[in-house]
Amino acid sequence: MTAAGAQDAEALALKPGTSWADAWRRCRTVAPEAFRDDRVLNLWDAGWRADGRVLPATSPVDGTPIAGPPRIDAATAQHAVRASLDQHRAWRHVPLPERRARVAATLDALAQHRELLALLLVWEIGKPWRSATADVDRAVDGVRWYVDGIDDMLDGRAPLDGPVSNIASWNYPMSVLVHALLVQTLAGNAVIAKAPTDGGVACLTLACALAAREGLPVTLVSGSGGELSQALVRAPEIGCVSFVGGRDTGAAVATAVADLGKRHILEQEGLNTWGIWNFTDWDALTRVIPKLFDYGKQRCTAYPRFVVQRQLFDAFLAAYLPAVRTLRVGHPLAVAAPDAPYPALDFGPVINAAKAKELHDQVAEAVDRGAVPLHRGSAADARFLPGQDTSAYVQPVTLLNPPRSSPLHHAEPFGPVDTIVLVDTEAELLAAMNASNGALVATLSTDDPATYDRLAPQIRAFKVGHGVPRSRGDREELFGGHGASWRGAFVGGELLVRAVTHGPAGERLPGNFPDHHLMP
C-alpha cells in the first residue's frame, strides 16, 4: 500500500541525514566490531561473531529494507550461556566501585550517541522522534539513579549463582531492556539478552557494543524463542529469567521456571482500563486523551479500554471525540524543509504490516458482530511522503461495546484501537475493569474521593490512578502486576536490585510466586 494524497499541502521529504543508510554508516563508524557490511553480529564469549542465519527485515516506517536478526541455533545458544556463566563467576567478584565506574562509563557512551540510538529506534520500531529520544534518555537517567544509590541497595546482598537471561518485547529496547541489563550488571551479574524478533536489533547491538567496550559481561544473541528456550530459560547455568511479553509465551516461560524453581521476573500483558463513574471534570479528560495514544498504544501500560457509566456517556463522548480527532499520525522523519525540526507526532506505524492487518481485521470483525464505530481516523489527515509504503500504519479507531467473541473485548490490542463498555452499577464497573484477570495499571475517574478509596482496592491492577494515567515508572517507583499480568519478583526502585541478588536466608521477595503473593 502506498500513500496517495495523504500528506499536507506542503511537500514533505525525508529529513536530510536521517535515512537508514545514514544510520547504518554511522553504526559502522561508531562500532565497527559489531556491524558488518550488511548485518549485525551476535555477541557471546566476549566476542562478536558472524553466526546465525540473518532474516530479512523491513522498516515499519516505509518498508525500507533494514538489518534483520542473525538467528543462532540451540547448540550455539547453549555455548553462549556456558560462556556467560564463566563471565558471571569472574564478574561477581569485581569490587562494586569498579562495577559502578564501568556502568557509569557505559552511560556516558550511550548519552554521547543518543541521537544515533534514537534514529535506529525510529527506523526499526517506528517510534516518533520524541518517543525515541525519551526511550534513550529514560534508560540513561534511570540507570544513573541506581549508580548513585547502589551501595545501600546491595547492603547484605550478593549476586545470583548464574547470569540473568533477558527476553523482552520490541517496544522499549532502551528504557526497559538495556536499563535492566545495566542494573543487573551493576548488581554483580553477567547478563544475556535475546534480541526481539520483531525489531530493535541494531539499536541493541550498538548499545551492547558500547557496554562491552567498558568491560561489562554482556551477551546478545538472536533467535527463535521456541528454539532457544532450552538454553535461555531452562539451562541450569541461568540464575534468573527476566521476561517481558505476551501471556501465551509468558505462560510457557512461567511453567518452565516454576518446574525448575528458578528466580524469575515475568511481565505479561493485561487489559489496562480507565473507569468513569460519577465524574464531571471533562476538560481534564480531554487534555489527557491524546497522551494515552503515545506510540500508538504499543505500550504495556497503554489504556485501550474505557468503562463508562451509562448516564455519563454523552458527556464522555463530548470530551473524548474532539481530543481523539487531534491525533497526529505519519512518517516520523518527514519534514517540509531540510532544517525543520522532527515532526511532532502522537504516533507513526505499528510494528509491522502484519500487525496492522491483524488490527484492521479485528476491528472489521467486531463491527460485523455488533460493535459500534464511534471514530475512525483518516489517512488523508496523516503526514506521509509522496508514494511511500503505508502498510504498517493504522489510523485511530474507537468502538463501542465490542462483542464478547472479539479479542478486542478481553485482550490488549497493542495498537491505536480504543474500546468503550457501558455499565450501570458499581459491580458492573468493577467486573468490566477486571476483564483480563489482572493488569499492570488502571485509572478510575470519579469526583468523590471516598468512592475512589472504596473501589480502587477492588481493581486488579498493580497501580491505580485517581483520574490520572499510571506508567511503568522510573527510578524509585515500584512496578509489578496483579493476576495473570505478572509472575515472579516485582521490580522498580530497590526491588529490581533485590530481584537479581541473594539476600538473607529465607527471604521472601515481593511478587507473585507459585508459593506466595507478597505486595511491597
Side-chain angles (χ1 to χ4, degrees), residues 128-264:
W129 186 253
R130 177 180 55 82
S131 297
T133 53
D135 195 20
V136 178
D137 293 343
R138 285 182 61 192
V140 173
D141 296 342
V143 179
R144 286 199 196 280
W145 181 84
Y146 285 92
V147 168
D148 292 340
I150 192 63
D151 293 84
D152 290 340
M153 297 183 205
L154 285 179
D155 187 28
R157 309 193 68 82
L160 299 175
D161 298 326
V164 182
S165 177
N166 294 267
I167 304 169
S169 57
W170 44 264
N171 53 341
Y172 285 90
M174 292 296 298
S175 63
V176 173
L177 183 50
V178 171
H179 178 280
L181 297 176
L182 296 181
V183 176
Q184 291 160 8
T185 59
L186 184 63
N189 303 289
V191 294
I192 304 169
K194 187 184 91 64
T197 302
D198 287 331
V201 65
C203 179
L204 284 170
T205 299
L206 179 59
C208 288
L210 299 175
R213 285 182 181 178
E214 302 302 334
L216 298 188
V218 177
T219 294
L220 176 66
V221 294
S222 297
S224 161
E227 187 172 5
L228 302 191
S229 64
Q230 187 66 34
L232 300 184
V233 176
R234 295 179 174 272
E237 294 92 341
I238 298 296
C240 175
V241 176
S242 178
F243 170 86
V244 180
R247 288 195 179 183
D248 291 343
T249 304
V253 174
T255 299
V257 295
D259 291 345
L260 299 168
K262 196 182 293 291
R263 183 73 65 88
H264 56 284

Side-chain angles (χ1 to χ4, degrees), residues 22 24 28 51 78 85-86 95 107 122 171 178 217 247 262 277 308 321 402 416 454 459 486-487 498 503 506:
D22 292 324
W24 187 255
R28 294 194 61 203
D51 47 17
Q78 189 60 60
L85 177 62
D86 292 338
L107 296 176
V122 173
N171 53 341
V178 171
R247 288 195 179 183
K262 196 182 293 291
W277 190 261
V308 181
L321 290 176
R454 178 166 45 82
I459 299 172
W486 198 278
R487 295 285 185 269
R498 291 171 64 183

Side-chain angles (χ1 to χ4, degrees), residues 367-499:
V367 172
D368 285 345
R369 295 182 180 181
V372 178
L374 299 176
H375 172 75
R376 298 190 206 227
S378 171
D381 299 323
R383 291 173 54 89
F384 292 136
L385 298 178
Q388 79 161 77
D389 185 328
T390 62
S391 57
Y393 289 79
V394 177
Q395 301 304 315
V397 177
T398 307
L399 301 179
L400 173 66
N401 287 338
R404 291 184 177 273
S405 59
S406 169
L408 296 176
H409 177 79
H410 55 78
E412 182 180 15
F414 233 63
V417 179
D418 273 352
T419 57
I420 300 171
V421 173
L422 303 182
V423 295
D424 296 297
T425 67
E426 289 184 356
E428 290 178 348
L429 174 81
L430 292 171
M433 293 190 71
N434 293 329
S436 67
N437 184 29
L440 304 176
V441 296
T443 290
L444 178 61
S445 289
T446 181
D447 292 346
D448 181 22
T451 299
Y452 175 83
D453 292 341
R454 178 166 45 82
L455 296 180
Q458 301 178 67
I459 299 172
R460 290 177 57 76
F462 187 81
K463 297 180 181 180
V464 180
H466 188 180
V468 295
R470 300 305 307 272
S471 69
R472 204 174 196 277
D474 294 297
R475 302 175 180 86
E476 70 274 6
E477 190 171 357
L478 309 182
F479 191 59
H482 269 296
S485 67
W486 198 278
R487 295 285 185 269
F490 294 146
V491 296
E494 65 174 346
L495 292 189
L496 176 53
V497 173
R498 291 171 64 183

Side-chain angles (χ1 to χ4, degrees), residues 6-321:
Q7 64 269 19
D8 296 336
E10 63 210 348
L12 300 179
L14 191 69
K15 188 173 177 65
T18 67
S19 72
W20 171 255
D22 292 324
W24 187 255
R25 282 193 295 269
R26 291 170 64 185
C27 287
R28 294 194 61 203
T29 299
V30 172
E33 70 273 25
F35 295 84
R36 289 276 175 91
D37 290 344
D38 58 350
R39 64 174 291 167
V40 299
L41 306 184
N42 289 300
L43 171 62
W44 59 274
D45 197 15
W48 292 96
R49 304 170 185 276
D51 47 17
R53 179 173 62 90
V54 179
L55 295 184
T58 58
S59 170
V61 170
D62 60 7
T64 295
I66 61 174
R71 296 169 63 126
I72 62 174
D73 57 24
T76 305
Q78 189 60 60
H79 290 311
V81 169
R82 289 171 182 160
S84 182
L85 177 62
D86 292 338
Q87 289 181 303
H88 180 83
R89 287 171 171 165
W91 180 255
R92 64 179 300 170
H93 297 296
V94 172
L96 178 56
E98 182 177 344
R99 298 202 307 264
R100 184 194 294 111
R102 290 175 184 256
V103 171
T106 300
L107 296 176
D108 291 342
L110 294 174
Q112 179 184 350
H113 297 289
R114 169 185 186 258
E115 290 197 359
L116 177 54
L117 291 162
L119 185 58
L120 293 171
L121 292 177
V122 173
W123 280 111
E124 293 193 280
I125 61 175
K127 281 183 180 276
W129 186 253
R130 177 180 55 82
S131 297
T133 53
D135 195 20
V136 178
D137 293 343
R138 285 182 61 192
V140 173
D141 296 342
V143 179
R144 286 199 196 280
W145 181 84
Y146 285 92
V147 168
D148 292 340
I150 192 63
D151 293 84
D152 290 340
M153 297 183 205
L154 285 179
D155 187 28
R157 309 193 68 82
L160 299 175
D161 298 326
V164 182
S165 177
N166 294 267
I167 304 169
S169 57
W170 44 264
N171 53 341
Y172 285 90
M174 292 296 298
S175 63
V176 173
L177 183 50
V178 171
H179 178 280
L181 297 176
L182 296 181
V183 176
Q184 291 160 8
T185 59
L186 184 63
N189 303 289
V191 294
I192 304 169
K194 187 184 91 64
T197 302
D198 287 331
V201 65
C203 179
L204 284 170
T205 299
L206 179 59
C208 288
L210 299 175
R213 285 182 181 178
E214 302 302 334
L216 298 188
V218 177
T219 294
L220 176 66
V221 294
S222 297
S224 161
E227 187 172 5
L228 302 191
S229 64
Q230 187 66 34
L232 300 184
V233 176
R234 295 179 174 272
E237 294 92 341
I238 298 296
C240 175
V241 176
S242 178
F243 170 86
V244 180
R247 288 195 179 183
D248 291 343
T249 304
V253 174
T255 299
V257 295
D259 291 345
L260 299 168
K262 196 182 293 291
R263 183 73 65 88
H264 56 284
I265 307 161
L266 310 181
E267 176 188 330
Q268 301 171 111
E269 64 188 18
L271 185 61
N272 306 316
T273 58
W274 192 300
I276 307 286
W277 190 261
N278 292 340
F279 177 71
T280 60
D281 191 359
W282 301 111
D283 288 342
L285 183 66
T286 297
R287 288 192 298 271
V288 81
I289 291 298
K291 299 175 183 177
L292 301 183
F293 278 87
D294 182 54
Y295 191 34
K297 301 209 173 192
Q298 297 177 102
R299 307 161 52 216
C300 64
T301 54
Y303 287 83
R305 167 66 50 79
F306 288 89
V307 181
V308 181
Q309 188 176 7
R310 189 181 305 273
Q311 68 183 34
L312 299 180
F313 185 48
D314 57 340
F316 172 83
L317 283 184
Y320 175 90
L321 290 176

Side-chain angles (χ1 to χ4, degrees), residues 343-360:
L345 303 174
D346 294 290
F347 58 95
V350 296
I351 186 59
N352 52 45
K355 179 62 179 179
K357 182 180 184 303
E358 174 189 293
L359 290 169
H360 288 308

